[in-house]
Structures are given as C-alpha cells and as structure tokens.
Amino acid sequence: RKENKLSGLTLKTKAKLLNDTFASGSLYAGLLTKMALDTAGSEVYSELVAASYKRMPISFSITSSNEISNNASVKFPEAREDWGQIIGVGIFDSLSGGNLVSYAIFDVRDVVIIHSLMQYEVAKDFYVAGFRM
C-alpha cells in the first residue's frame, strides 16, 4: 500500500470550520486563573470569580484563510477588588456557564496580576485561532 505524503484539510474547509466556530455566533471572552490537562487529555480550567467580574462579548471577522482573530478590543469591567493572577483568556459559548470553546494561555512573562480599580483589555487581533498549514 502506497502512503499519501500530502493529506489534510483544504484551506476552504479550514476557513469554514473557523467561521462556523468563531464568526457565526455569540461568543464571550473570560479570564482564566488555572489551566491543566487531566489524565485523559481533557482541559481542566478555572475562570476568575469576583463580584465585579463578568465575561464580555468577543467577535471575530469572517476569514478565508487558516486563521481567524478578534476584530475589536474587549474591555472587562473595572476590578472593584483584587482579581489576582490571570494566566490566559478563554472563549466561551455562553455569558455564564456554557462551554469553553477555545483558550490562549499567556507566556509566563505575560501573566497579569489585576489589582482593584484596574481594567483589563484584550487588544484587537490579540486572540488568534487557526490551523497549521
């Protein structure tokens, strides 16, 4: 049996999957405080819990490539208490509860400690999801 040296999803299919996941519905950015993998390889995460915190809507532009990114900045509410260490951003399919769709864990040097009266912002084009070519 001969092996196929080239295999994978076409660019059009990659774009469709990204658009269907990110650009076609309501998504919300949330701040993550922990992320790990369990023994089965499933993600185990903790989202920030604070009285003044809530997930914020995030939107993505339609793509025709193998990458998609947020098309506007996302500002979280001003912290009314210390929020502590934020290690990443999660994309959820609901304003509360729901499912974690995707996540980006910060590089260690980018971890943020949010103190009272600070406001955290995810910049435009910060959150990029995609497929390797």
mmCIF file of all heavy atoms in Angstrom, residues 51-82:
data_model
loop_
_atom_site.group_PDB
_atom_site.id
_atom_site.type_symbol
_atom_site.label_atom_id
_atom_site.label_comp_id
_atom_site.label_asym_id
_atom_site.label_seq_id
_atom_site.Cartn_x
_atom_site.Cartn_y
_atom_site.Cartn_z
ATOM 1 N N ALA A 51 -16.751 39.525 42.393
ATOM 2 C CA ALA A 51 -18.043 40.219 42.344
ATOM 3 C C ALA A 51 -18.148 41.175 41.155
ATOM 4 O O ALA A 51 -19.209 41.284 40.545
ATOM 5 C CB ALA A 51 -18.275 40.981 43.651
ATOM 6 N N SER A 52 -17.063 41.836 40.795
ATOM 7 C CA SER A 52 -17.134 42.832 39.719
ATOM 8 C C SER A 52 -16.763 42.272 38.352
ATOM 9 O O SER A 52 -16.767 42.989 37.356
ATOM 10 C CB SER A 52 -16.220 44.021 40.047
ATOM 11 O OG SER A 52 -14.875 43.593 40.158
ATOM 12 N N TYR A 53 -16.470 40.986 38.271
ATOM 13 C CA TYR A 53 -16.041 40.356 37.010
ATOM 14 C C TYR A 53 -17.222 39.748 36.258
ATOM 15 O O TYR A 53 -18.139 39.194 36.859
ATOM 16 C CB TYR A 53 -15.023 39.252 37.306
ATOM 17 C CG TYR A 53 -14.777 38.332 36.130
ATOM 18 C CD1 TYR A 53 -13.984 38.737 35.080
ATOM 19 C CD2 TYR A 53 -15.368 37.073 36.073
ATOM 20 C CE1 TYR A 53 -13.762 37.899 33.998
ATOM 21 C CE2 TYR A 53 -15.151 36.232 35.002
ATOM 22 C CZ TYR A 53 -14.352 36.651 33.958
ATOM 23 O OH TYR A 53 -14.151 35.836 32.884
ATOM 24 N N LYS A 54 -17.165 39.840 34.953
ATOM 25 C CA LYS A 54 -18.086 39.076 34.101
ATOM 26 C C LYS A 54 -17.436 38.880 32.740
ATOM 27 O O LYS A 54 -16.548 39.634 32.335
ATOM 28 C CB LYS A 54 -19.439 39.776 33.956
ATOM 29 C CG LYS A 54 -19.397 41.079 33.189
ATOM 30 C CD LYS A 54 -20.805 41.657 33.036
ATOM 31 C CE LYS A 54 -20.753 42.952 32.240
ATOM 32 N NZ LYS A 54 -22.075 43.493 31.987
ATOM 33 N N ARG A 55 -17.864 37.836 32.054
ATOM 34 C CA ARG A 55 -17.405 37.597 30.684
ATOM 35 C C ARG A 55 -17.898 38.731 29.797
ATOM 36 O O ARG A 55 -18.959 39.311 30.042
ATOM 37 C CB ARG A 55 -17.954 36.279 30.151
ATOM 38 C CG ARG A 55 -17.412 35.067 30.843
ATOM 39 C CD ARG A 55 -18.054 33.814 30.299
ATOM 40 N NE ARG A 55 -17.670 32.656 31.085
ATOM 41 C CZ ARG A 55 -18.259 31.478 30.989
ATOM 42 N NH1 ARG A 55 -19.251 31.282 30.132
ATOM 43 N NH2 ARG A 55 -17.854 30.475 31.745
ATOM 44 N N MET A 56 -17.148 38.980 28.746
ATOM 45 C CA MET A 56 -17.505 40.052 27.825
ATOM 46 C C MET A 56 -17.642 39.504 26.405
ATOM 47 O O MET A 56 -16.917 38.584 26.016
ATOM 48 C CB MET A 56 -16.430 41.146 27.848
ATOM 49 C CG MET A 56 -16.252 41.797 29.223
ATOM 50 S SD MET A 56 -17.754 42.508 29.903
ATOM 51 C CE MET A 56 -18.043 43.843 28.765
ATOM 52 N N PRO A 57 -18.576 40.067 25.617
ATOM 53 C CA PRO A 57 -18.731 39.618 24.234
ATOM 54 C C PRO A 57 -17.435 39.835 23.442
ATOM 55 O O PRO A 57 -16.736 40.823 23.633
ATOM 56 C CB PRO A 57 -19.842 40.519 23.688
ATOM 57 C CG PRO A 57 -20.557 41.034 24.890
ATOM 58 C CD PRO A 57 -19.532 41.120 25.979
ATOM 59 N N ILE A 58 -17.129 38.877 22.586
ATOM 60 C CA ILE A 58 -15.977 38.978 21.692
ATOM 61 C C ILE A 58 -16.452 38.581 20.302
ATOM 62 O O ILE A 58 -17.276 37.667 20.159
ATOM 63 C CB ILE A 58 -14.792 38.109 22.174
ATOM 64 C CG1 ILE A 58 -13.540 38.378 21.329
ATOM 65 C CG2 ILE A 58 -15.152 36.635 22.219
ATOM 66 C CD1 ILE A 58 -12.265 37.782 21.915
ATOM 67 N N SER A 59 -15.968 39.285 19.293
ATOM 68 C CA SER A 59 -16.410 38.980 17.923
ATOM 69 C C SER A 59 -15.206 38.759 17.030
ATOM 70 O O SER A 59 -14.111 39.272 17.266
ATOM 71 C CB SER A 59 -17.284 40.108 17.379
ATOM 72 O OG SER A 59 -16.582 41.327 17.390
ATOM 73 N N PHE A 60 -15.441 37.982 15.985
ATOM 74 C CA PHE A 60 -14.397 37.600 15.038
ATOM 75 C C PHE A 60 -14.873 37.897 13.623
ATOM 76 O O PHE A 60 -16.046 37.680 13.298
ATOM 77 C CB PHE A 60 -14.098 36.102 15.164
ATOM 78 C CG PHE A 60 -13.483 35.728 16.488
ATOM 79 C CD1 PHE A 60 -14.278 35.519 17.603
ATOM 80 C CD2 PHE A 60 -12.122 35.601 16.614
ATOM 81 C CE1 PHE A 60 -13.727 35.188 18.829
ATOM 82 C CE2 PHE A 60 -11.549 35.275 17.833
ATOM 83 C CZ PHE A 60 -12.358 35.063 18.940
ATOM 84 N N SER A 61 -13.953 38.386 12.793
ATOM 85 C CA SER A 61 -14.265 38.634 11.386
ATOM 86 C C SER A 61 -14.243 37.328 10.619
ATOM 87 O O SER A 61 -13.481 36.407 10.948
ATOM 88 C CB SER A 61 -13.231 39.584 10.774
ATOM 89 O OG SER A 61 -13.289 40.835 11.391
ATOM 90 N N ILE A 62 -15.055 37.240 9.606
ATOM 91 C CA ILE A 62 -15.063 36.068 8.727
ATOM 92 C C ILE A 62 -13.705 35.971 8.036
ATOM 93 O O ILE A 62 -13.103 36.975 7.672
ATOM 94 C CB ILE A 62 -16.217 36.157 7.714
ATOM 95 C CG1 ILE A 62 -17.528 35.984 8.467
ATOM 96 C CG2 ILE A 62 -16.077 35.138 6.601
ATOM 97 C CD1 ILE A 62 -18.766 36.075 7.615
ATOM 98 N N THR A 63 -13.220 34.756 7.891
ATOM 99 C CA THR A 63 -11.911 34.531 7.280
ATOM 100 C C THR A 63 -12.031 33.662 6.033
ATOM 101 O O THR A 63 -12.999 32.916 5.882
ATOM 102 C CB THR A 63 -10.948 33.867 8.281
ATOM 103 O OG1 THR A 63 -9.641 33.811 7.694
ATOM 104 C CG2 THR A 63 -11.399 32.467 8.650
ATOM 105 N N SER A 64 -11.054 33.779 5.169
ATOM 106 C CA SER A 64 -10.947 32.866 4.027
ATOM 107 C C SER A 64 -9.596 32.150 4.086
ATOM 108 O O SER A 64 -9.170 31.536 3.122
ATOM 109 C CB SER A 64 -11.090 33.627 2.702
ATOM 110 O OG SER A 64 -10.080 34.620 2.613
ATOM 111 N N SER A 65 -8.941 32.236 5.251
ATOM 112 C CA SER A 65 -7.625 31.610 5.402
ATOM 113 C C SER A 65 -7.660 30.566 6.520
ATOM 114 O O SER A 65 -8.727 30.143 6.945
ATOM 115 C CB SER A 65 -6.575 32.690 5.719
ATOM 116 O OG SER A 65 -6.698 33.124 7.061
ATOM 117 N N ASN A 66 -6.485 30.206 7.004
ATOM 118 C CA ASN A 66 -6.387 29.201 8.061
ATOM 119 C C ASN A 66 -6.274 29.827 9.447
ATOM 120 O O ASN A 66 -5.976 29.142 10.410
ATOM 121 C CB ASN A 66 -5.207 28.263 7.804
ATOM 122 C CG ASN A 66 -3.879 28.985 7.878
ATOM 123 O OD1 ASN A 66 -3.756 30.118 7.407
ATOM 124 N ND2 ASN A 66 -2.886 28.349 8.440
ATOM 125 N N GLU A 67 -6.525 31.156 9.565
ATOM 126 C CA GLU A 67 -6.511 31.848 10.846
ATOM 127 C C GLU A 67 -7.695 32.795 10.964
ATOM 128 O O GLU A 67 -8.208 33.290 9.964
ATOM 129 C CB GLU A 67 -5.242 32.687 11.012
ATOM 130 C CG GLU A 67 -4.006 31.916 11.304
ATOM 131 C CD GLU A 67 -2.839 32.825 11.631
ATOM 132 O OE1 GLU A 67 -2.923 34.056 11.463
ATOM 133 O OE2 GLU A 67 -1.814 32.273 12.065
ATOM 134 N N ILE A 68 -8.083 33.040 12.217
ATOM 135 C CA ILE A 68 -9.151 33.995 12.494
ATOM 136 C C ILE A 68 -8.761 34.738 13.766
ATOM 137 O O ILE A 68 -8.075 34.177 14.628
ATOM 138 C CB ILE A 68 -10.512 33.271 12.648
ATOM 139 C CG1 ILE A 68 -11.673 34.240 12.533
ATOM 140 C CG2 ILE A 68 -10.573 32.452 13.919
ATOM 141 C CD1 ILE A 68 -13.032 33.548 12.329
ATOM 142 N N SER A 69 -9.122 36.014 13.873
ATOM 143 C CA SER A 69 -8.775 36.776 15.077
ATOM 144 C C SER A 69 -9.918 37.701 15.473
ATOM 145 O O SER A 69 -10.792 38.011 14.661
ATOM 146 C CB SER A 69 -7.494 37.585 14.867
ATOM 147 O OG SER A 69 -7.672 38.547 13.855
ATOM 148 N N ASN A 70 -9.873 38.142 16.745
ATOM 149 C CA ASN A 70 -10.930 39.046 17.217
ATOM 150 C C ASN A 70 -10.827 40.382 16.485
ATOM 151 O O ASN A 70 -9.740 40.905 16.261
ATOM 152 C CB ASN A 70 -10.878 39.224 18.741
ATOM 153 C CG ASN A 70 -9.582 39.784 19.264
ATOM 154 O OD1 ASN A 70 -8.514 39.226 19.016
ATOM 155 N ND2 ASN A 70 -9.664 40.871 20.006
ATOM 156 N N ASN A 71 -11.976 40.924 16.092
ATOM 157 C CA ASN A 71 -11.995 42.113 15.239
ATOM 158 C C ASN A 71 -12.157 43.423 16.001
ATOM 159 O O ASN A 71 -12.261 44.480 15.400
ATOM 160 C CB ASN A 71 -13.065 41.988 14.153
ATOM 161 C CG ASN A 71 -14.456 41.830 14.712
ATOM 162 O OD1 ASN A 71 -14.702 42.089 15.877
ATOM 163 N ND2 ASN A 71 -15.370 41.378 13.871
ATOM 164 N N ALA A 72 -12.188 43.365 17.330
ATOM 165 C CA ALA A 72 -12.280 44.575 18.155
ATOM 166 C C ALA A 72 -11.699 44.255 19.526
ATOM 167 O O ALA A 72 -11.640 43.095 19.930
ATOM 168 C CB ALA A 72 -13.735 45.027 18.297
ATOM 169 N N SER A 73 -11.269 45.288 20.219
ATOM 170 C CA SER A 73 -10.763 45.059 21.566
ATOM 171 C C SER A 73 -11.926 44.693 22.494
ATOM 172 O O SER A 73 -13.082 44.997 22.206
ATOM 173 C CB SER A 73 -10.020 46.289 22.082
ATOM 174 O OG SER A 73 -10.914 47.365 22.236
ATOM 175 N N VAL A 74 -11.602 44.032 23.588
ATOM 176 C CA VAL A 74 -12.591 43.621 24.582
ATOM 177 C C VAL A 74 -12.140 44.181 25.922
ATOM 178 O O VAL A 74 -11.060 43.835 26.412
ATOM 179 C CB VAL A 74 -12.684 42.079 24.670
ATOM 180 C CG1 VAL A 74 -13.640 41.664 25.774
ATOM 181 C CG2 VAL A 74 -13.088 41.487 23.333
ATOM 182 N N LYS A 75 -12.948 45.043 26.511
ATOM 183 C CA LYS A 75 -12.632 45.606 27.827
ATOM 184 C C LYS A 75 -13.486 44.935 28.880
ATOM 185 O O LYS A 75 -14.711 44.897 28.766
ATOM 186 C CB LYS A 75 -12.890 47.111 27.843
ATOM 187 C CG LYS A 75 -11.854 47.908 27.122
ATOM 188 C CD LYS A 75 -12.069 49.394 27.330
ATOM 189 C CE LYS A 75 -10.990 50.160 26.604
ATOM 190 N NZ LYS A 75 -11.104 51.599 26.813
ATOM 191 N N PHE A 76 -12.819 44.426 29.901
ATOM 192 C CA PHE A 76 -13.519 43.833 31.031
ATOM 193 C C PHE A 76 -13.905 44.944 32.001
ATOM 194 O O PHE A 76 -13.321 46.023 31.988
ATOM 195 C CB PHE A 76 -12.632 42.786 31.711
ATOM 196 C CG PHE A 76 -12.515 41.527 30.894
ATOM 197 C CD1 PHE A 76 -11.539 41.396 29.926
ATOM 198 C CD2 PHE A 76 -13.417 40.492 31.070
ATOM 199 C CE1 PHE A 76 -11.440 40.251 29.150
ATOM 200 C CE2 PHE A 76 -13.342 39.338 30.300
ATOM 201 C CZ PHE A 76 -12.350 39.224 29.338
ATOM 202 N N PRO A 77 -14.883 44.696 32.872
ATOM 203 C CA PRO A 77 -15.274 45.719 33.843
ATOM 204 C C PRO A 77 -14.091 46.107 34.727
ATOM 205 O O PRO A 77 -13.160 45.323 34.910
ATOM 206 C CB PRO A 77 -16.353 45.034 34.685
ATOM 207 C CG PRO A 77 -16.789 43.851 33.904
ATOM 208 C CD PRO A 77 -15.641 43.456 33.029
ATOM 209 N N GLU A 78 -14.155 47.292 35.283
ATOM 210 C CA GLU A 78 -13.125 47.710 36.227
ATOM 211 C C GLU A 78 -13.176 46.809 37.453
ATOM 212 O O GLU A 78 -14.252 46.540 37.994
ATOM 213 C CB GLU A 78 -13.373 49.160 36.631
ATOM 214 C CG GLU A 78 -12.307 49.724 37.537
ATOM 215 C CD GLU A 78 -12.576 51.168 37.873
ATOM 216 O OE1 GLU A 78 -12.144 52.045 37.098
ATOM 217 O OE2 GLU A 78 -13.237 51.413 38.909
ATOM 218 N N ALA A 79 -12.020 46.338 37.886
ATOM 219 C CA ALA A 79 -11.947 45.486 39.076
ATOM 220 C C ALA A 79 -12.280 46.308 40.307
ATOM 221 O O ALA A 79 -11.681 47.348 40.543
ATOM 222 C CB ALA A 79 -10.559 44.889 39.193
ATOM 223 N N ARG A 80 -13.242 45.863 41.069
ATOM 224 C CA ARG A 80 -13.612 46.543 42.313
ATOM 225 C C ARG A 80 -12.953 45.869 43.515
ATOM 226 O O ARG A 80 -13.121 46.302 44.643
ATOM 227 C CB ARG A 80 -15.135 46.553 42.485
ATOM 228 C CG ARG A 80 -15.821 47.405 41.458
ATOM 229 C CD ARG A 80 -15.413 48.827 41.678
ATOM 230 N NE ARG A 80 -16.031 49.702 40.686
ATOM 231 C CZ ARG A 80 -15.720 50.960 40.562
ATOM 232 N NH1 ARG A 80 -14.804 51.500 41.319
ATOM 233 N NH2 ARG A 80 -16.304 51.689 39.655
ATOM 234 N N GLU A 81 -12.258 44.787 43.259
ATOM 235 C CA GLU A 81 -11.485 44.073 44.253
ATOM 236 C C GLU A 81 -10.270 43.503 43.524
ATOM 237 O O GLU A 81 -10.212 43.557 42.315
ATOM 238 C CB GLU A 81 -12.306 42.948 44.903
ATOM 239 C CG GLU A 81 -12.838 41.907 43.950
ATOM 240 C CD GLU A 81 -14.101 42.332 43.196
ATOM 241 O OE1 GLU A 81 -15.054 42.777 43.820
ATOM 242 O OE2 GLU A 81 -14.109 42.230 41.961
ATOM 243 N N ASP A 82 -9.283 43.000 44.256
ATOM 244 C CA ASP A 82 -8.127 42.394 43.599
ATOM 245 C C ASP A 82 -8.571 41.100 42.912
ATOM 246 O O ASP A 82 -9.200 40.248 43.543
ATOM 247 C CB ASP A 82 -7.023 42.100 44.616
ATOM 248 C CG ASP A 82 -6.359 43.365 45.133
ATOM 249 O OD1 ASP A 82 -6.568 44.439 44.535
ATOM 250 O OD2 ASP A 82 -5.628 43.268 46.127
#
